[in-house]
Amino acid sequence: MSETHSRTLADLKDLAVATAGSPVEQVKRDPKRDAQGRAYATGRRKNAIARVWILPGKGQITVNGKPAEQYFARPVLRMLITQPFLIADRYNQFDVVCTVVGGGLSGQAGAVRHGISRALNLYEPDLRPILKVAGFLTRDSRVVERKKYGHPKARRSFQFSKR
Protein backbone atom coordinates (compact mmCIF):
# COMPACT_ATOMS: atom_id res chain seq x y z
CA MET A 1 0.00 0.00 0.00
CA SER A 2 1.17 3.49 -0.69
CA GLU A 3 1.90 5.94 2.07
CA THR A 4 -1.20 8.10 1.51
CA HIS A 5 -3.62 5.19 1.90
CA SER A 6 -2.25 4.07 5.24
CA ARG A 7 -2.81 7.45 6.95
CA THR A 8 -5.76 8.19 9.16
CA LEU A 9 -7.94 11.28 9.01
CA ALA A 10 -6.23 12.67 12.11
CA ASP A 11 -2.79 12.28 10.49
CA LEU A 12 -4.01 14.09 7.39
CA LYS A 13 -5.44 16.95 9.47
CA ASP A 14 -2.09 17.39 11.23
CA LEU A 15 -0.31 17.36 7.89
CA ALA A 16 -2.79 19.87 6.48
CA VAL A 17 -2.14 22.28 9.37
CA ALA A 18 1.59 21.97 8.74
CA THR A 19 1.23 22.70 5.01
CA ALA A 20 -1.12 25.64 5.57
CA GLY A 21 1.57 27.51 7.50
CA SER A 22 4.37 26.80 5.02
CA PRO A 23 6.48 29.79 3.95
CA VAL A 24 6.06 29.02 0.23
CA GLU A 25 4.24 31.90 -1.46
CA GLN A 26 0.93 30.69 -2.83
CA VAL A 27 -0.99 32.11 -5.78
CA LYS A 28 -4.22 33.75 -4.65
CA ARG A 29 -7.18 32.26 -6.48
CA ASP A 30 -10.65 33.76 -6.64
CA PRO A 31 -13.66 31.63 -5.66
CA LYS A 32 -15.83 30.49 -8.57
CA ARG A 33 -19.51 30.64 -7.65
CA ASP A 34 -22.68 31.07 -9.69
CA ALA A 35 -25.49 33.62 -9.17
CA GLN A 36 -27.06 31.49 -6.41
CA GLY A 37 -23.75 31.26 -4.51
CA ARG A 38 -23.11 27.63 -5.48
CA ALA A 39 -19.91 26.00 -6.65
CA TYR A 40 -20.15 23.29 -9.32
CA ALA A 41 -17.71 20.48 -10.09
CA THR A 42 -17.68 17.13 -11.83
CA GLY A 43 -16.28 14.05 -10.09
CA ARG A 44 -15.34 10.77 -11.74
CA ARG A 45 -14.46 7.28 -10.52
CA LYS A 46 -14.46 4.07 -12.58
CA ASN A 47 -17.46 4.47 -14.92
CA ALA A 48 -19.40 6.79 -12.60
CA ILE A 49 -19.79 10.52 -13.21
CA ALA A 50 -21.12 12.86 -10.53
CA ARG A 51 -22.28 16.44 -11.10
CA VAL A 52 -21.97 18.20 -7.74
CA TRP A 53 -23.23 21.57 -6.49
CA ILE A 54 -22.32 22.80 -3.00
CA LEU A 55 -23.82 25.77 -1.22
CA PRO A 56 -23.78 27.02 2.38
CA GLY A 57 -26.33 25.17 4.47
CA LYS A 58 -26.87 22.65 7.25
CA GLY A 59 -25.02 19.66 5.84
CA GLN A 60 -27.78 17.96 3.87
CA ILE A 61 -26.51 15.75 1.06
CA THR A 62 -28.94 14.87 -1.74
CA VAL A 63 -28.02 12.29 -4.38
CA ASN A 64 -30.34 11.88 -7.39
CA GLY A 65 -33.21 13.46 -5.43
CA LYS A 66 -32.79 11.16 -2.41
CA PRO A 67 -31.05 11.78 0.92
CA ALA A 68 -27.54 10.32 1.05
CA GLU A 69 -28.57 7.98 3.90
CA GLN A 70 -31.17 6.42 1.63
CA TYR A 71 -29.13 6.37 -1.60
CA PHE A 72 -25.87 5.11 -0.05
CA ALA A 73 -27.19 2.56 2.43
CA ARG A 74 -23.76 1.27 3.53
CA PRO A 75 -22.06 3.36 6.24
CA VAL A 76 -18.68 3.04 4.49
CA LEU A 77 -20.02 4.82 1.41
CA ARG A 78 -21.58 7.60 3.51
CA MET A 79 -18.26 8.01 5.34
CA LEU A 80 -16.47 8.23 1.98
CA ILE A 81 -18.55 11.15 0.73
CA THR A 82 -18.17 13.16 3.96
CA GLN A 83 -14.36 12.85 4.11
CA PRO A 84 -13.60 16.14 2.26
CA PHE A 85 -15.71 18.09 4.77
CA LEU A 86 -14.07 16.38 7.75
CA ILE A 87 -10.56 17.07 6.44
CA ALA A 88 -11.36 20.72 5.77
CA ASP A 89 -13.27 21.24 9.07
CA ARG A 90 -16.40 22.20 7.14
CA TYR A 91 -18.67 19.39 8.34
CA ASN A 92 -22.40 20.36 8.35
CA GLN A 93 -21.61 23.78 6.82
CA PHE A 94 -22.50 22.98 3.20
CA ASP A 95 -25.50 21.45 1.48
CA VAL A 96 -24.67 19.13 -1.42
CA VAL A 97 -26.91 18.42 -4.40
CA CYS A 98 -25.57 15.92 -6.90
CA THR A 99 -26.64 13.70 -9.75
CA VAL A 100 -24.74 10.49 -10.43
CA VAL A 101 -24.84 8.23 -13.48
CA GLY A 102 -22.98 5.07 -14.42
CA GLY A 103 -21.03 2.48 -12.47
CA GLY A 104 -21.96 0.84 -9.19
CA LEU A 105 -22.51 2.29 -5.74
CA SER A 106 -18.83 2.18 -4.77
CA GLY A 107 -17.74 4.01 -7.91
CA GLN A 108 -20.57 6.50 -7.51
CA ALA A 109 -19.53 7.27 -3.92
CA GLY A 110 -15.95 7.84 -5.09
CA ALA A 111 -17.20 10.12 -7.86
CA VAL A 112 -19.28 12.14 -5.39
CA ARG A 113 -16.26 12.48 -3.06
CA HIS A 114 -14.11 13.67 -5.98
CA GLY A 115 -16.80 16.15 -7.05
CA ILE A 116 -17.29 17.49 -3.52
CA SER A 117 -13.53 17.98 -3.16
CA ARG A 118 -13.28 19.84 -6.45
CA ALA A 119 -16.33 21.99 -5.63
CA LEU A 120 -14.90 22.83 -2.19
CA ASN A 121 -11.67 23.82 -3.91
CA LEU A 122 -13.61 26.19 -6.19
CA TYR A 123 -15.75 27.58 -3.35
CA GLU A 124 -12.80 28.15 -1.00
CA PRO A 125 -9.47 28.08 -2.88
CA ASP A 126 -7.58 28.26 0.43
CA LEU A 127 -8.58 24.63 1.10
CA ARG A 128 -6.59 23.38 -1.91
CA PRO A 129 -3.39 22.36 0.00
CA ILE A 130 -5.41 20.39 2.56
CA LEU A 131 -7.45 18.54 -0.06
CA LYS A 132 -4.39 18.00 -2.27
CA VAL A 133 -2.34 16.42 0.54
CA ALA A 134 -5.26 14.14 1.41
CA GLY A 135 -5.38 13.01 -2.25
CA PHE A 136 -9.01 13.99 -2.81
CA LEU A 137 -8.38 16.21 -5.85
CA THR A 138 -6.71 13.41 -7.81
CA ARG A 139 -8.96 11.42 -10.11
CA ASP A 140 -8.54 7.69 -9.51
CA SER A 141 -8.08 6.53 -13.11
CA ARG A 142 -8.32 2.79 -12.49
CA VAL A 143 -11.06 1.24 -14.61
CA VAL A 144 -12.09 -2.33 -15.36
CA GLU A 145 -9.87 -4.00 -17.95
CA ARG A 146 -11.64 -5.05 -21.14
CA LYS A 147 -12.34 -8.66 -22.06
CA LYS A 148 -9.92 -10.08 -24.65
CA TYR A 149 -10.85 -12.17 -27.66
CA GLY A 150 -10.37 -15.91 -27.04
CA HIS A 151 -10.47 -15.52 -23.24
CA PRO A 152 -13.43 -16.03 -20.92
CA LYS A 153 -12.47 -12.83 -18.98
CA ALA A 154 -9.87 -10.08 -19.27
CA ARG A 155 -6.91 -12.29 -18.36
CA ARG A 156 -8.38 -15.66 -17.50
CA SER A 157 -7.59 -18.44 -20.00
CA PHE A 158 -9.49 -21.61 -20.66
CA GLN A 159 -8.23 -24.67 -18.79
CA PHE A 160 -5.36 -26.35 -20.64
CA SER A 161 -5.94 -29.93 -21.71
CA LYS A 162 -3.22 -32.02 -23.39
CA ARG A 163 -5.80 -34.21 -25.11
Side-chain angles (χ1 to χ4, degrees), residues 11 45 53 65 70 72 81 105 121 132 146 151 162:
D11 296 339
R45 170 81 169 94
W53 290 268
Q70 186 179 351
F72 294 116
I81 62 175
L105 283 178
N121 181 33
K132 186 83 170 158
R146 75 171 189 88
H151 291 262
K162 199 166 191 177

Side-chain angles (χ1 to χ4, degrees), residues 6-139:
S6 62
R7 296 181 186 154
T8 64
L9 281 174
D11 296 339
L12 288 173
K13 274 189 182 177
D14 296 338
L15 193 57
V17 170
T19 57
S22 64
V24 177
E25 187 63 32
Q26 304 222 348
V27 177
K28 273 290 186 191
R29 290 188 167 93
D30 293 331
K32 291 189 172 97
R33 301 176 194 154
D34 63 5
Q36 288 89 21
R38 303 175 301 183
Y40 168 79
T42 304
R44 293 179 182 90
R45 170 81 169 94
K46 294 188 179 180
N47 280 335
I49 300 170
R51 300 183 308 163
V52 179
W53 290 268
I54 65 166
L55 63 154
K58 298 178 180 175
Q60 296 175 340
I61 300 175
T62 308
V63 183
N64 290 351
K66 297 180 183 177
E69 293 78 27
Q70 186 179 351
Y71 193 85
F72 294 116
R74 296 198 320 239
V76 173
L77 300 179
R78 288 197 301 269
M79 178 205 65
L80 197 71
I81 62 175
T82 57
Q83 281 178 340
F85 295 121
L86 294 172
I87 291 288
D89 279 338
R90 301 290 188 273
Y91 192 65
N92 288 340
Q93 293 182 17
F94 288 98
D95 287 344
V96 177
V97 178
C98 62
T99 58
V100 190
V101 292
L105 283 178
S106 176
Q108 287 182 351
V112 170
R113 180 178 85 165
H114 186 228
I116 288 172
S117 302
R118 291 178 67 181
L120 264 177
N121 181 33
L122 292 175
Y123 194 90
E124 288 186 54
D126 297 337
L127 296 177
R128 182 174 176 82
I130 299 168
L131 295 169
K132 186 83 170 158
V133 167
F136 294 157
L137 295 178
T138 307
R139 190 246 200 258

